[in-house]
Amino acid sequence: MKERIQKLLSAAGVASRRQAEELLRAGRVRVNGTAAQLGDSADPDRDTVEVDGVPLGQPPRRRYLMLNKPRGYVTTLRDEQGRRTVAELTADCGDRVYPIGRLDLNSEGLLLLTNDGVLCHRIIMPGSGVVKEYYAEVTGRFRPDTEARFREGITVDNHFRCLPARIEIAPDGASARIFVSEGKRHQVKRMVAAAGARVRRLKRLAIGGLRLDPALAPGEYRPLTQEELALLFQPVPDSKTP
Ligand code: URA
């Protein structure tokens, strides 16, 4: 039966649907030897679908990598502006993996990469409840009611109400640990701005129960252990505030 190529690629664990679109736009997918276009379909039982010349076969072995993302790398597989990408940092892992969620260009810290669409979906889908922990260094001053406003759900950009979150501000007010369970664009920076300060450094320390390995230097990655992987598949505690 014919299926959209994006669907075939994500079912085979090659890329998320959005990333499959990027592969199609970049001309890296061929069906029976001809470059496929966005919107094309193929029948996996009758057609030969290849990505970068490699036929889709059995789903590839699952890979789960922890990267300590350095500043200055874009969280994508390929950047049209020619900037450095996180894919370059894991290119030698032997499998095609893609990032789970995003860190901004100048954010750093824990980034997971995988070819497992199920795990990716579980972590990034809205309402997943998976808590991400960040360390932020800031300029300016947090308003005195910041912790309470984070707990209630702070309003950012004057109209968008965030889900309840937690902030622990250091005694000198120059840094904070922030725990959020959603992942909108520039989420933490916008929350901090709404509280009167400005993020100048942002590092992700944990995703759910999984913490960044302090032994990983910026730019280094390693596979997750079985125990770490199990943490990501654990049920998310049912609590309103992280
Ligand atoms: N929130 C941000 O503002 N930026 C990130 O990179 C991650 C979370």
Side-chain angles (χ1 to χ4, degrees):
M1 196 180 73
K2 284 204 169 204
E3 298 270 20
R4 283 288 164 105
I5 308 253
Q6 293 96 299
K7 194 168 172 194
L8 293 179
L9 297 195
S10 80
V14 170
S16 68
R17 291 208 190 180
R18 193 182 59 75
Q19 286 155 348
E21 288 174 13
E22 286 180 22
L23 292 172
L24 282 160
R25 282 200 197 91
R28 292 167 61 189
V29 185
R30 300 181 92 79
V31 176
N32 303 326
T34 305
Q37 310 293 321
L38 198 58
D40 283 358
S41 302
D43 180 341
D45 296 327
R46 303 164 66 115
D47 299 315
T48 306
V49 180
E50 294 169 323
V51 179
D52 293 336
V54 180
L56 290 192
Q58 293 302 310
R61 66 191 169 132
R62 298 289 179 225
R63 297 298 306 273
Y64 306 93
L65 306 180
M66 166 192 293
L67 169 72
N68 184 358
K69 177 193 174 296
R71 295 167 75 106
Y73 282 77
V74 193
T75 306
T76 183
L77 297 181
R78 195 167 155 273
D79 184 54
E80 282 170 8
Q81 298 174 45
R83 295 172 295 182
R84 293 175 296 183
T85 69
V86 294
E88 294 167 24
L89 297 169
T90 53
D92 61 356
C93 77
D95 283 294
R96 203 175 289 115
V97 291
Y98 48 89
I100 302 185
R102 267 166 200 268
L103 283 173
D104 295 338
L105 178 68
N106 281 325
S107 298
E108 52 193 297
L110 178 58
L111 185 69
L112 298 175
L113 296 103
T114 188
N115 53 8
D116 181 348
V118 173
L119 178 69
C120 184
H121 181 68
R122 182 183 159 78
I123 292 179
I124 64 176
M125 72 177 174
S128 73
V130 176
V131 175
K132 274 81 78 178
E133 177 184 343
Y134 294 89
Y135 167 75
E137 288 175 2
V138 304
T139 54
R141 275 189 173 282
F142 283 110
R143 297 200 183 101
D145 59 353
T146 295
E147 288 174 359
R149 287 175 68 208
F150 266 62
R151 268 199 306 277
E152 284 157 14
I154 193 165
T155 300
V156 299
D157 307 332
N158 294 322
H159 63 89
F160 167 67
R161 177 91 179 258
C162 296
L163 291 176
R166 182 154 62 93
I167 183 166
E168 295 169 0
I169 303 173
D172 66 1
S175 65
R177 281 186 189 240
I178 296 165
F179 303 80
V180 294
S181 61
E182 56 190 335
K184 298 229 163 39
R185 203 172 142 74
H186 307 317
Q187 177 94 33
V188 173
K189 289 176 189 156
R190 289 157 72 199
M191 292 168 91
V192 168
R198 186 167 175 275
V199 171
R200 66 177 182 83
R201 179 180 175 210
L202 189 62
K203 181 171 185 176
R204 184 155 62 198
L205 303 177
I207 297 174
L210 176 68
R211 300 199 73 79
L212 176 65
D213 181 346
L216 280 183
E220 286 182 352
Y221 74 89
R222 68 159 173 78
L224 295 187
T225 63
Q226 284 303 319
E227 292 74 25
E228 287 171 333
L229 192 54
L231 291 172
L232 293 176
F233 280 101
Q234 262 173 14
V236 175
D238 186 18
S239 144
K240 289 210 164 45
T241 307

